[in-house]
């Protein structure tokens, strides 16, 4: 069993299995843990290793609290930032994500602060920021 990261975003994503498949396809995520719910349909917990870090996710369980899915078009209240070693990876990841249903918010561009940056909203409503140093 691997050590858990000191800080990891925890996403509510329904359907979680579709999000897991998407994150594996787009970001090269690796599944580290998976716990199905007792209903046999939803995912109670999943940990994915992405780009040297981790995210946790699960389906929404409104019966256990006030969780809900983002409403389409709703402003994101948090973003997940991925730091890449090369600008090429930012461009390739953005292209792959948008070809698989993400909405590009900021297309890859060279920023005034010295990075190649792009932002997108995945098909499940979560916002991702992709960065790489220009030099």
């Amino acid at each position: 069993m691997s050590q858990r990261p000191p800080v990891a975003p925890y996403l509510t994503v329904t359907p979680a299995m579709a999000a897991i498949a998407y994150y594996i396809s787009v970001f090269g995520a690796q599944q580290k843990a998976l716990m199905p719910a007792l209903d046999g349909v939803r995912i109670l917990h999943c940990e994915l290793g992405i780009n040297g870090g981790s995210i946790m996710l699960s389906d929404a369980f409104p019966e256990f609290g006030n969780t809900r899915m983002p409403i389409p078009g709703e402003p994101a209240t948090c973003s997940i930032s991925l730091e890449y070693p090369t600008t090429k990876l930012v461009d390739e990841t953005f292209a792959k994500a948008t070809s698989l249903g993400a909405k590009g918010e900021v297309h890859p561009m060279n920023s005034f602060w010295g990075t190649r940056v792009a932002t997108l909203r995945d098909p499940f409503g979560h916002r991702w920021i992709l960065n790489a140093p220009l030099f």
Side-chain angles (χ1 to χ4, degrees):
M1 182 177 215
S2 63
Q3 182 177 345
R4 293 179 66 183
V7 176
Y10 207 112
L11 308 177
T12 301
V13 183
T14 298
M17 283 305 294
I20 292 165
Y22 184 84
Y23 299 150
I24 288 170
S25 295
V26 171
F27 302 119
Q30 296 181 335
Q31 186 177 297
K32 295 169 106 178
L34 182 71
M35 293 179 223
L38 294 176
D39 63 16
V41 177
R42 296 177 291 177
I43 299 301
L44 185 61
H45 173 76
C46 178
E47 180 180 354
L48 296 175
I50 296 181
N51 199 38
S54 289
I55 64 166
M56 316 289 186
L57 63 93
S58 73
D59 274 288
F61 287 86
E63 65 269 31
F64 296 129
N66 294 322
T67 61
R68 66 167 177 81
M69 288 303 303
I71 298 167
E74 178 179 46
T77 57
C78 73
S79 301
I80 300 111
S81 180
L82 299 177
E83 301 294 321
Y84 290 103
T86 67
T87 59
K88 182 180 179 188
L89 287 172
V90 168
D91 294 356
E92 290 173 350
T93 303
F94 183 87
K96 188 170 199 177
T98 54
S99 75
L100 293 173
K103 178 185 174 202
E105 293 184 340
V106 175
H107 288 255
M109 61 177 254
N110 294 344
S111 70
F112 68 86
W113 57 87
T115 67
R116 182 79 170 164
V117 65
T119 63
L120 58 94
R121 191 179 292 247
D122 71 30
F124 310 96
H126 297 287
R127 187 169 182 256
W128 296 78
I129 303 168
L130 315 176
N131 273 295
L134 288 175
F135 309 104

